[in-house]
Amino acid sequence: MPYAFKIALRHLTANIGQTALLASGVAMAVFIFIFMSALIGGLADLLVNRTLGNLAHVTVEASDADLPLLAPYAGETALVARQRSTRRDTGMLDAGPLRDLIETMPGVARAALEVTEGGVLIRGGRVQRVSVTGLEPDRLNAIIRFDRAMQAGTARLTGETLMIGATLADDLGLSVGRTVMLRGDTGNSVTLTVGGVFRIGAGQIDAAAAFIDITTARTLFDSPNRVSRIAIRLEDFNTAERTAARIEATTGLTATPWTETSEQLFDALVAQARTGLVLKSFAMLTIVIGIASSLMLTTYRRRPEIGIMRAMGATQGFIVVVFVIQGMLIGVIGGVAGGVLGLVSLVPFPAIEDVQSGQLPIDVAQGSIGLGIALTTLAATLAAILPARAASRIDPVEAIGQ
Amino acid sequence: MTALQPADALLQLRNLTKTFGSGETATHVLRSLDLSLQSGEMTALVGASGSGKSTLLNILGTLLRPSSGQFRMLGEDLFTADDATLTAFRNRHIGFVFQFHNLLPDFTALENVMFPSSVRDGHERPAARRRASELLDRVGLADRVGYRTTKLSGGQKQRVAVARALMNDPALILADEPTGNLDRASARQVMDLLAEINRAAGTTFLISTHDDKIAAACSRRIEISDGRIVSDWS
């Protein structure tokens, strides 16, 4: 064992009570760090699950055709107001292979073709305007987890069935097994049976959306072999921008990450993450100040011993190393204790998807336990440098004479 | 009185001064001091309190820098040496026995004796452990090897300090009132031990003392007063 390490260890074990108290303070700060990380991360996940959970993380659509080249007269400027095309042939043709390609990209969990248009549901004398989405039956739960949100019926689509939200079903007096007429904006109509009623918690989808089989949707909207978009769910929603850029580079199509379509949510998450960073920084600052002040007191108390060591041939560098190791050991002990405390405290919290109203959204996986311990050790080591340097400069004659 | 200034002396001081403070508040503790010590000598340094004995011992121990003059030991110029050089020199060539023993309280007797060797090597060598055990045996503490120094009597602590001073087989041992804090029996034991080491190993001792009996046991006696050597005889 290196001699400086042995001396540092002996200093710590010589006064177990004081060392335990100091390590407990560090452990508490580490626990706060871990708890804040888990809470901020969990809160972000909860927000995303409750909002982004029903949205695609990335959507891929056909790029608009290039603008015609305008040649303004000399000295003049051409102003162009561009409007997205409303023609029915603007979707993507034969997008199946593209979907399969996207699904092989790293970070992509699922990709699904969608046809989206407007329409009306007609039930007796009642008429309700709805957003109609045609989904691939075998990828029904790729974006919205219908299988977890069904109130009645099953999460399944055939050419003769549709799924609607519970609010819409109430408004139109519909239930599973009832028939309803769906008329598209093209003027085409189809009569379908309600196969399932869901409630996913997003008002607009529960109240004004109908989901049908993609083949039925293509017929209804006169767009054979076309899809409106490819909806993509990622393994980690935080990689949306990077993945969207990769898809654009690979396919030449327009890929839009959720951070653009839900900008306010993104801003809120960024602000929340910054708040968490500030709180975690304060926890680290507490560790640094606590250890630095404690080691300052320790070096003062051990002045005579430092003087003896210097008289016996210990160099200034050796004294610095002894006290820096002391700081590091306190960091490791406090860090590991805080990590264990954090883990034990956080494990009983329910998983994010099971969090009920009023419960803290804690995500243990985002507790940054390893990072917390590593940062604490680093902070404690750095905090020890100043007291260690002060100790190394103690005058041995003065110190021994005390 | 004999003036000892041979060229092959263990250490030589020439015109050495030490002044604390400056200007009107300056205190001249050592004034134009000339001194040589020969290898194997056992010298008593006597003088009243405040005469400059401890300051001289601290300078010779390289713990304190002189203000001016020359200071050479074992051929090395210690007046101009930097801190790292002085520390290494002190560790290798100088042993200390203090009045209040100055042992490390959290360490055992054996670990205290090993300290000068271990701090030099960066780890505790088995050979150092064996030598420290032998030294503790030599000072009569073979049965106290694993004791924390806080569990030892004053006399035992001072014998541990003597063993520690011998650990690196130094050329010079500086002892500042080594028996000043001991009862009569313990003082005699420690003094007999120092004399025996001097005879057996030829280790050079410079012992600061107020005790005439200890001074009488030494082969040379230097008296210092008001920062000057006023008598030096052997």
Side-chain angles (χ1 to χ4, degrees), chain A residues 56-117:
Chain A
H57 294 159
V58 178
T59 51
V60 177
E61 295 166 299
S63 301
D64 283 352
D66 291 339
L67 286 170
L69 188 63
L70 297 177
Y73 292 111
E76 293 182 358
T77 304
L79 292 176
V80 178
R82 191 179 189 204
Q83 189 173 357
R84 186 175 279 274
S85 173
T86 56
R87 290 171 57 194
R88 303 239 166 259
D89 60 356
T90 53
M92 289 178 281
L93 268 175
D94 298 324
L98 199 56
R99 174 204 59 204
D100 294 341
L101 171 71
I102 289 169
E103 228 170 25
T104 62
M105 288 185 173
V108 174
R110 295 300 302 274
L113 306 179
E114 290 183 357
V115 172
T116 56
E117 291 287 348

Side-chain angles (χ1 to χ4, degrees), chain B residues 97-147:
Chain B
V97 180
F98 301 99
Q99 180 177 358
F100 295 102
H101 51 78
N102 284 331
L103 299 174
L104 299 171
D106 298 327
F107 291 77
T108 63
L110 184 76
E111 288 168 333
N112 266 280
V113 176
M114 288 175 70
F115 188 90
S117 169
S118 302
V119 79
R120 180 189 64 202
D121 297 336
H123 61 275
E124 292 179 328
R125 287 182 302 118
R129 188 174 292 275
R130 281 196 300 276
R131 175 164 170 76
S133 295
E134 287 166 10
L135 287 169
L136 281 170
D137 186 26
R138 188 169 165 190
V139 300
L141 292 174
D143 58 341
R144 296 288 187 273
V145 166
Y147 278 49

Side-chain angles (χ1 to χ4, degrees), chain B residues 3-187:
Chain B
L4 294 169
Q5 301 279 323
D8 59 346
L10 172 69
L11 74 83
Q12 283 185 301
L13 305 181
R14 285 189 189 280
N15 206 21
L16 193 95
T17 68
K18 179 62 185 177
T19 303
F20 291 105
S22 59
E24 292 180 2
T25 60
T27 305
H28 304 287
V29 181
L30 297 178
R31 301 163 188 265
S32 300
L33 203 130
D34 292 331
L35 173 68
S36 290
L37 286 182
Q38 295 281 65
S39 289
E41 279 186 326
M42 186 150 181
T43 306
L45 184 64
V46 298
S49 294
S51 60
K53 296 193 306 294
S54 293
T55 301
L56 179 58
L57 245 57
N58 286 332
I59 288 174
L60 295 178
T62 71
L63 295 172
L64 193 64
R65 284 181 179 277
S67 301
S68 65
Q70 290 179 18
F71 175 20
R72 298 184 72 83
M73 184 170 167
L74 293 170
E76 283 202 45
D77 179 3
L78 299 181
F79 183 79
T80 54
D82 59 20
D83 185 74
T85 305
L86 290 179
T87 302
F89 188 91
R90 183 164 66 237
N91 175 265
R92 180 67 192 86
H93 299 297
I94 302 172
F96 293 90
V97 180
F98 301 99
Q99 180 177 358
F100 295 102
H101 51 78
N102 284 331
L103 299 174
L104 299 171
D106 298 327
F107 291 77
T108 63
L110 184 76
E111 288 168 333
N112 266 280
V113 176
M114 288 175 70
F115 188 90
S117 169
S118 302
V119 79
R120 180 189 64 202
D121 297 336
H123 61 275
E124 292 179 328
R125 287 182 302 118
R129 188 174 292 275
R130 281 196 300 276
R131 175 164 170 76
S133 295
E134 287 166 10
L135 287 169
L136 281 170
D137 186 26
R138 188 169 165 190
V139 300
L141 292 174
D143 58 341
R144 296 288 187 273
V145 166
Y147 278 49
R148 288 277 168 104
T149 53
T150 46
K151 305 286 184 191
L152 300 177
S153 68
Q156 289 171 330
K157 285 177 185 173
Q158 200 61 309
R159 280 186 277 160
V160 173
V162 171
R164 179 180 66 184
L166 290 168
M167 182 66 198
N168 281 349
D169 195 18
L172 172 66
I173 290 182
L174 300 168
D176 190 1
E177 301 283 2
T179 59
N181 198 38
L182 301 178
D183 58 58
R184 187 169 295 181
S186 297

Side-chain angles (χ1 to χ4, degrees), chain A residues 147-162:
Chain A
D147 53 346
R148 292 179 182 172
M150 299 311 291
Q151 284 204 329
T154 55
R156 196 166 69 86
L157 286 176
T158 66
E160 291 81 36
T161 60
L162 87 168

